[in-house]
Amino acid sequence: MRHRGRDPAEPDAFFRRVPPVQAEGCHDRGGVLLHRRRRGDGERAAGAPRAVLPLLLRQEAGVRGHGPPRQGEGDGGRAAVLALRRRRRPPAALQGLLQAHRVLRRPLRRHARRRRHPRRLRRPRHRRRHAAAGVPGLPDGCKGAEVLRRAEKGYLSVPHHGEIVLQRWGGSKRITVEEAKARISDILEEYLGSGDRSEALRCIRDLKIPFFHHDVVKRALVLAVERGGAAEGHILDLLKSASEEGVINESQIAKGFDRLIDSVDDLALDVPNARCLLKSVIHKASSDGWLCASGLKPFPPEPKKTSEVADAAVREFKAKAVSIIKEYFMTGDIMEVVSRLEAENGSCCSSFNAIFVQRLINAAMDRKSRDKEMASVLLSALCLPPEDVVAGFQLLIEAAEDAALDNPAIVEDLTMFFARSVVDEVIAPSDLEAMEEDAGRVKADGSTGMLALRNARALLSAKLSAERILRCWGGGGSGKAGWELDEVKDMISKLLQEYDCGGDIREACRRIKDLGMPFFHHEVVKKTLVAIIEKRGKDERLWGLLRECYGRGLITPNQMTKGFERVADGVEDLALDVPDAGKQFGCCVERARKEGWLDASFSVARPGQPVSNGVCS
């Protein structure tokens, strides 16, 4: 069966003329895939080439003289297959058929593999062999591999993962930030005095705060820059030994250097050549091999040089501003602050006003809610130009990252100060938006300053937010520094009533402490004694509260004595409601003496009021 004039490159044109035939099941021999499916007479001719291909090979082999079929092997098609297996070169007509067979064979093999082995296409063998290559030694899908993957992605890949992991079970809550800094300073001072390097390293280890060792590096470098000379050599030797012995790891050393690089301009106010000295220290550390200088932050651009007189004036104003703020927190006298600020900044210099705003809020954030309320009231009463207040807020935003190391709640504090300044009309809402735009150009989206600005805008956009913001620190929105006297008395009465009705003694002590008015604790003693007398001395819960407060040192002996004296002065008025008030008070005095709260010389009788001591039955 020969067809002249066909193109071997167009097999479909040739096979289209072949009628459908029946093909028995065959198998793959010599690289030629023979289909095993039986085709019926009703199949379309397009499916015929795969079925008739063995017959065509037999016919072509018979025409070209490949010999008759041997016994047991069928016809000439078997000879053609054997010829292919023996690598004989077939005639030209057979080459065309083989080329057509290769074209038709590819989709058929893919289809057969997809049908017989559906999983191999989704996961090839080489991928299955190396599926668990990310976790050596563990099979894919096991619990151990899943735990390691989760630890790497969920904990070790996030920023500050060291602090997070170490604080996971509260292991680092035994020491506060202030205590840690004080101990670090004491260790460094003692080392510079004694020179005992091994003892200093042992003390650093005993702190058990490896995630905070960058503060050790920073404080050591500050001492090296400030004192120089022999102190610098001792500090470098200590840091080198700490690095070599593994006391302080490389990341903490680099972080300590980066922190000092960020604040080098502030250090330059006290040490004018701090930038050059720090560069010299970095060069020496890099030469000794315990610091990678290329991995450090670049130094910030040098500020514009001003005259020494201006620098001295700024330093002097900062010192006086701190003194003014401390005195204000003690007295609450706003007019005194205004007069002193006018005297120190008679020219109303904008930079001085911005510095005062920054120092005021920084000092308030380190104090309690009462002092934060006083700072907001003072900021509103000073009537500073809005642009000066905004400049002070920008100084706070620039230094927020470093301040966050000392004050973990700095985002919440800055948020409330920003929102409160808008509610008090110190700055406009548009100023807050402009601050956020300016900070967005130089700060990352997740930085401390950006978070505070974004939270402040969200807080101001809530319904009825002004009233909540005014009372955020318990000031009551009165516009006065601190709380009113009546407000404090009312708070004390409420906490005593809540405790007497079944409250927790620790919560009551915490609320007394949060008042932030230790000089007024005699009011707590007075109201407690009055409540005990009114109940005929049968209320042991309130007496237990006094015992707990005195034992904790929350109420001092002076405040306890003053509280008893105030009750003794008003016992006659109290007798109008409680006839035996004098007797009940005498019993309280005797119990207080036995508890050790009062001195033996304390007497119920007041000058001009001959009230006899009660006798406990």
Side-chain angles (χ1 to χ4, degrees), residues 202-248:
R202 186 191 64 79
C203 292
I204 294 174
R205 284 195 199 95
D206 291 345
L207 290 177
K208 295 182 180 179
I209 46 174
F211 56 88
F212 201 60
H213 281 171
H214 55 80
D215 197 73
V216 178
V217 178
K218 179 188 174 184
R219 291 178 180 274
L221 292 175
V222 169
L223 289 175
V225 171
E226 288 180 346
R227 301 186 183 183
E232 177 181 334
H234 289 316
I235 292 295
L236 290 178
D237 291 341
L238 176 65
L239 294 179
K240 181 180 178 180
S241 300
S243 175
E244 292 175 349
E245 297 182 17
V247 178
I248 304 177

Side-chain angles (χ1 to χ4, degrees), residues 257-332:
F257 274 91
D258 288 340
R259 286 185 60 195
L260 189 57
I261 289 173
D262 290 337
S263 59
V264 68
D265 291 333
D266 294 337
L267 185 60
L269 297 176
D270 300 325
V271 184
N273 59 339
R275 186 181 291 259
C276 297
L277 293 175
L278 181 57
K279 288 181 179 179
S280 174
V281 170
I282 292 175
H283 177 71
K284 292 178 182 178
S286 178
S287 300
D288 291 340
W290 55 272
L291 176 66
C292 180
S294 60
L296 299 180
K297 289 183 178 180
F299 276 81
E302 293 189 17
K304 296 181 180 178
K305 294 183 178 180
T306 55
S307 61
E308 295 181 0
V309 177
D311 291 340
V314 170
R315 287 196 295 270
E316 183 180 359
F317 178 78
K318 286 182 177 180
K320 292 184 177 179
V322 171
S323 174
I324 293 171
I325 292 167
K326 286 183 178 179
E327 184 177 351
Y328 168 68
F329 284 141
M330 294 176 61
T331 63

Side-chain angles (χ1 to χ4, degrees), residues 448-464:
T448 304
M450 288 296 294
L451 287 176
L453 290 170
R454 199 173 292 120
N455 292 347
R457 291 188 61 191
L459 188 61
L460 290 168
S461 62
K463 292 182 179 180
L464 305 176

Side-chain angles (χ1 to χ4, degrees), residues 1 14-15 18-24 26 34 48-63 75-78 80 94 97:
M1 179 178 168
F14 167 70
F15 287 118
V18 179
V21 296
Q22 294 286 344
E24 295 295 337
C26 302
L34 304 181
R50 297 189 182 95
V52 303
L53 186 58
L55 299 179
L56 295 175
L57 289 173
R58 295 189 189 103
Q59 292 172 6
E60 288 291 337
V63 169
D75 52 8
R78 182 58 174 263
L94 194 56
L97 287 173

